[in-house]
Amino acid sequence: MAGDPFFQPVSGLDLPRFAGVPTFMRLPYVDFDHPRFKDVTIGLVGAPWDGGTTNRPGPRHGPRQLRDLSTMIRAKNGVTWVAPFELQNCADLGDVSPNPADLMDSLARMEAFYDRLRVAGVRPLTGGGDHLCTLPILRGLAKGRKLGLVQFDSHTDLNDCYFGTGKYTHGTPFRRAMEEGLIDPARYVLVGIRGTAYGRDDWDYAAEQGIRIIGIEEFHKRGVDDVMAEVREIIGGGETYVTYDIDFVDPTFAPGTGTPEVGGPNSWQALQVARALRGANVVGADLVEVSPPFDQTGNTAWLAVNLMFEMLCVMAER
Amino acid sequence: MAGDPFFQPVSGLDLPRFAGVPTFMRLPYVDFDHPRFKDVTIGLVGAPWDGGTTNRPGPRHGPRQLRDLSTMIRAKNGVTWVAPFELQNCADLGDVSPNPADLMDSLARMEAFYDRLRVAGVRPLTGGGDHLCTLPILRGLAKGRKLGLVQFDSHTDLNDCYFGTGKYTHGTPFRRAMEEGLIDPARYVLVGIRGTAYGRDDWDYAAEQGIRIIGIEEFHKRGVDDVMAEVREIIGGGETYVTYDIDFVDPTFAPGTGTPEVGGPNSWQALQVARALRGANVVGADLVEVSPPFDQTGNTAWLAVNLMFEMLCVMAER
Amino acid sequence: MAGDPFFQPVSGLDLPRFAGVPTFMRLPYVDFDHPRFKDVTIGLVGAPWDGGTTNRPGPRHGPRQLRDLSTMIRAKNGVTWVAPFELQNCADLGDVSPNPADLMDSLARMEAFYDRLRVAGVRPLTGGGDHLCTLPILRGLAKGRKLGLVQFDSHTDLNDCYFGTGKYTHGTPFRRAMEEGLIDPARYVLVGIRGTAYGRDDWDYAAEQGIRIIGIEEFHKRGVDDVMAEVREIIGGGETYVTYDIDFVDPTFAPGTGTPEVGGPNSWQALQVARALRGANVVGADLVEVSPPFDQTGNTAWLAVNLMFEMLCVMAER
Amino acid sequence: MAGDPFFQPVSGLDLPRFAGVPTFMRLPYVDFDHPRFKDVTIGLVGAPWDGGTTNRPGPRHGPRQLRDLSTMIRAKNGVTWVAPFELQNCADLGDVSPNPADLMDSLARMEAFYDRLRVAGVRPLTGGGDHLCTLPILRGLAKGRKLGLVQFDSHTDLNDCYFGTGKYTHGTPFRRAMEEGLIDPARYVLVGIRGTAYGRDDWDYAAEQGIRIIGIEEFHKRGVDDVMAEVREIIGGGETYVTYDIDFVDPTFAPGTGTPEVGGPNSWQALQVARALRGANVVGADLVEVSPPFDQTGNTAWLAVNLMFEMLCVMAER
Amino acid sequence: MAGDPFFQPVSGLDLPRFAGVPTFMRLPYVDFDHPRFKDVTIGLVGAPWDGGTTNRPGPRHGPRQLRDLSTMIRAKNGVTWVAPFELQNCADLGDVSPNPADLMDSLARMEAFYDRLRVAGVRPLTGGGDHLCTLPILRGLAKGRKLGLVQFDSHTDLNDCYFGTGKYTHGTPFRRAMEEGLIDPARYVLVGIRGTAYGRDDWDYAAEQGIRIIGIEEFHKRGVDDVMAEVREIIGGGETYVTYDIDFVDPTFAPGTGTPEVGGPNSWQALQVARALRGANVVGADLVEVSPPFDQTGNTAWLAVNLMFEMLCVMAER
Amino acid sequence: MAGDPFFQPVSGLDLPRFAGVPTFMRLPYVDFDHPRFKDVTIGLVGAPWDGGTTNRPGPRHGPRQLRDLSTMIRAKNGVTWVAPFELQNCADLGDVSPNPADLMDSLARMEAFYDRLRVAGVRPLTGGGDHLCTLPILRGLAKGRKLGLVQFDSHTDLNDCYFGTGKYTHGTPFRRAMEEGLIDPARYVLVGIRGTAYGRDDWDYAAEQGIRIIGIEEFHKRGVDDVMAEVREIIGGGETYVTYDIDFVDPTFAPGTGTPEVGGPNSWQALQVARALRGANVVGADLVEVSPPFDQTGNTAWLAVNLMFEMLCVMAER
């Protein structure tokens, strides 16, 4: 087996999967001060914050449940046989520390954390947290370049404002990111959008900006292969960020989330769309909106960490 | 925006969706004595009764949970962009009051309630309650005309009798309705029937009467589009009632029900069949058999209110 | 039976308790614009906000679950036989509208709501919401007078700051209220404090200010009767506010809360302490920190609405 | 060890407690046609019926869950060391068959079943079912004699009528039993009554008839020993039936029930009151109102079968 | 109706499905000593043992939950209209007794039980238990002949060893069975394999031995009809055992299991693969790895007993 | 603040309690190879093993859930104000690695782990695991000396054998420990024993050996203070091990366990008995039998970690 021995996960054939302090995918825990931090190439990060949530809170508890369930992940992809831990030095970098009592301070703390990763040359794979977390991540990673963006989601999160003053909520991050020039609209595509709507403002905004939205009816009609071929064409070979909102998946498969919309993709399709990014130039990715209070069984988190693993395999092959 | 301002739902952009006394879809509560009752064109009604249940009870608690979850419904259909609250004056008419200790009295109370709606020109969209509720609704609405009937269900509910004396159970309503001349058998179609069976009496009865049953194997083989084309042909342009038993849907997607049958349609198909009724002449509809004690998470009810919304959109365009 | 017929709750002997749109204790819903608002003497209010929560969120969903369970409350107190709805005009005033994306705006909205009630002469009984809600309530009600305060709680909530910038959290409301002169320290008593501690700063602050804390060990040793005799002596006959954090109760009896501390009073003691306030001059009361995501069964809320009913009986007899 | 070998429960030291088809307390299943039926002295019976329930249904599922959990009961009482299976020939007699669609037919079926037991000289220990089940049991057992009655409960169940026509509900059985002369009011005592009330009619009726009610406040003040001494004095040495509504116990200890009332006895007290009947002349007993849909964990049923075992020990020593 | 009256299940039209001591599919309970044992042709057996479980335990509780839910099974297959109880004498044979404290003793006890069935000419349909149970079943049934094997599963269970000494775990039964000559590799096919992997040893072993593995990607691409045509071809007309691990199904449809792998077949496909075995020469079958602690709702068990019924229909037609 | 800065827990005022990789009480993770291991004086250890469980398994998952909930523990005892992390160098030593497929190998691995701690002068506080774990712990710690033993439990665990061959189960550890000379019977006391019984063999054995059992009836009659005075007298000043089975507590307060017995102590009493050991010479302690599958809410684990904290405070003051 190839790969740096230090950066290998603990095998369930040696230590049972229910044993041990749970880190992401049983990887070594390496914080900024750790002697091996300089060798990390992909960092798994928890973002335990849901300050942008407008309805049912809970994603602040996501990283812990994701880590717990991720101990059932093994070393190789059973479909593509990619072995990410042999290709890259992966580590659990711990959690970025939020301030639950101060939204703006939380945004600043998170941006600083990811800025540091960018500088260190570590590509992050984040477990959220709500979708507002993606804004400071993009701020930290973009820094003067416009990134391509693939967004798997049931909502556009391109809204402007809630409750009169709410410019920063989990329904607005990509409107802000667009305004701040973090995203290249020509290389920005959303997949899976559905649910009842207040209006069409977000769709109109996307159309004006040249952003491509693939709604759920189109998704179901065309199928995964056709849709993802278009997605890969849109993002091309440029630097791209992937944001995966768990509510992209049908809520029966992922009930542990705050704003579920029925009629979404099933679990196999959920895996396929991530796997289909193979070959893309992914500079970072996240899986957000897992809300443990709405699924204490861990079933949602189990699907979510499998999706994280699929994205990790894509990132590892770059 | 068109539509009478009084009959608009409260927006989640103004008042968070978890706030406020929960009415159906955040519509105004308008009872028979309310000054605006005369202007209502579509009434959302709760039928909190499960006196016909032969196995696992609970649908009496359905309306309250449906109202609770319905506060996450927004104003427009994200696929068809129909905006029902702009097209019709919709209101929550409250619950029809049952008598849990007296089956025949409950049937009489419900018939009287729907009779009153028919006289007032209000088309009802009901949240049940078990499937026996549909019998008094049909009695109240039919009054001398035979209605077309679309029944989404996993059981025919065309049986004759249970336990020796049970002529009125949730397994018999449409046998009774047929005997009472409330339904036109030539315009009566059932979709999704499945599960193990005591015998074939109900299928034989349907065949004799000229009622069309589309069983689950046929459904899966032909697909939604083909099946629903036939359904629309069967009901034609005549006055039609739509009854949607939540156990039509696969129980994984809708576990909160009393007599689940595995192997049913998924959530997207569940939405599609309702949406495919577009253009039909629907005089009333119901969604029954949601049983909160068997799904306290509200996930079943959340799917159910989305199905109610799809039926509302169909009714609104008439 | 005495009492204004308009302000009577719906009886479960007439309409089953599972039926009907759920208002607090099945009382009429009366908002500020309602013609009978001017006649209300005690208003039941929902405060669906948890913006001050530092650990496990959820109390924003409290009012809806409290209303749901409160439909099992009947008309008379089974121990004291007080009949609050005969003594006072009670109504459900709906929810105060928070801004989940803006902490300071939420505080302002809530203060304005309660200020309006004070001006209208309505005494409020509030269902929270987290404990930070009590700060704007006190601001609205105090207005130039220092109120007595009885706090049933497992935490002092007298801390100064969290995470460096957090002056307004559910761990700090009474420190702020003290600083703002809303509370008379000589007439302020806390009961039930327990759990592990970061330090003793809050106890030291209380001692300096002359605030009386009755910790859990003292509570269990002395018993309810003795403890509550002292409480009544402390508050005397002056205007007093009562704030009841559900985490006062042992978490086995009330698991649906965010910061549970084991070893607390049982349900009978929980009722007794509220009942023992009989005769006090209560200008308002609240029951906070019920978090439905942590108890979807509704058992916590059921205990909580019984506690609200006990406080209502005390308020009604004034 | 004494006792007929045929009537001994399967030991958990031989067959693990999770194994085997679950009968009550792992006793042999003996129906009316079984050759050993004639030797049974105490019969454990399931009464899976909740047709009298006015609010939250479910006790029809009680017997199955009670049997499941009862497989953790062992052979001897750990406090009194009574060994009931050595003293009596105990067997599981199966379930009395109800008619869920016909209240009056169900009452008739149940009365006939218990009448047959009385004739055969079998004393029944029943697992319900809602509290209306006790009426046909008393009809079957009393037959011309007035029985003493000990009722552990949070409600009197002495009401007259619900919803205008409901003479037979789980809130009325003992009013009917009194009217039918099945109970001797001078030997009838209720313990644990509490909760909010519609009015005082039931208490007034009890007072008129000479029935003794020991309310919850009196219970908590006097303690189990004192209260039960009075209970034993009231029933004396005459033939007595014991009916134990699980909602007697505080709902935290027994959440799986339909009409919980907070502030009740804890589990130790719940055991003590049953054990304190030692020496009474008990002709039959029941444990009712366990509702599995409201506690799928089985914890309520586990307490309930322990209470059944305590009553069985009392019955066994007669 | 054909069929021996003694071996017919109790109808839910006579005795409600929630009533009665729960045997498999409401069949008569017939142990080895029962006078009708000699007439049984298909025996339903519980194997309450999970001693081979390497991660999350619980299947020892499977048989009881399977029996409970199986009471909702009726007499006829709603798709094929096969009526198994008319074609064969089916009975519940009870549970094989394991020794939870001794793995080797448990294996011996189980082998002896199935050996006895083989000698008596009873074909077994077993509800597990974990997948290690299938090893002693095969030992009992094979006896000198190599059986064909159809394995529906998400894991190959062809591994060699765990934790250094673990030759007998639920991940190794078919490696052992191969070594012991119980299976004909040319007539052995696995369907549905997926999930992350430690390595490729098990796939390599299968390839060397000539065992056919149809992985999940192939399954989804080809569809059920095509895949099952190949399966039937592989097993041909020879004696074949069918082992169905519930984790073959996507865990959203069957969450109650210990080692779930996302992205599997849905419930309709799960039924189809079993039904597609029609015509095969099935000498025995099992459904394993249902773990009630991970799904107390019973939904997983409900799907599982439907799968058992489909396999029973296939066995009945032989 | 006193105490080595390295060995201080992370404060919830700095990093929210839901953030960070969860170690026991947020202490540093220090394994045998860590440079600071030599400075540890009290080690918190997880023992994720339940190979001795005879009924409902699950405690193997205990350590992870205990660590998760332990992040809500703060730095000081709110009753005694003991600050254990200032008095001792405490660290999370990780989990002892079991072999789920080999009982005897697991016992050997655990004994070796604790032997190493004894040699290093680290006193262990263990979170189980089932009660059989205590046997190898005692083997590792005793080494030639007979320890005093305080056992809080509902069962004696002094049985000899299960299922014919089961000498090593969670019902037999202290019989084995007695036979191996690890315990001084004169300094061995059990508190809280209750529940139904197979027989009196274990009580008889204890009496013969001079072991003191304080059953539950005696416990409830005498009260905690009196009982614990006797306990302290029995153990005196000699080296003593404390084993706390969570099923000592009433199962309503601690439902997450495999063999619950109703009628036990409440949560306050559960804390008191641990606290009352103050001054004892405790060489090690454990908290066992927390079974997450039977309480996914974490409420049981939350009580359990509070009990661990109380024992830690006692150990810290030595």
Side-chain angles (χ1 to χ4, degrees), chain B residues 237-292:
Chain B
E239 290 181 316
T240 300
Y241 189 82
V242 181
T243 186
Y244 204 127
D245 187 321
I246 193 67
D247 70 24
F248 167 75
V249 192
D250 188 274
T252 296
F253 295 83
T257 196
T259 320
E261 303 293 350
V262 301
N266 66 25
S267 58
W268 178 247
Q269 294 168 319
L271 291 163
Q272 278 182 306
V273 296
R275 204 180 291 144
L277 292 171
R278 205 170 178 180
N281 181 4
V282 179
V283 297
D286 62 50
L287 188 296
V288 296
E289 296 285 358
V290 171
S291 181

Side-chain angles (χ1 to χ4, degrees), chain A residues 257-291:
Chain A
T257 196
T259 320
E261 302 293 350
V262 301
N266 66 25
S267 58
W268 178 247
Q269 294 169 319
L271 292 163
Q272 279 181 306
V273 296
R275 204 179 290 143
L277 292 172
R278 204 168 179 181
N281 182 3
V282 178
V283 298
D286 62 50
L287 188 296
V288 296
E289 296 285 358
V290 172
S291 182

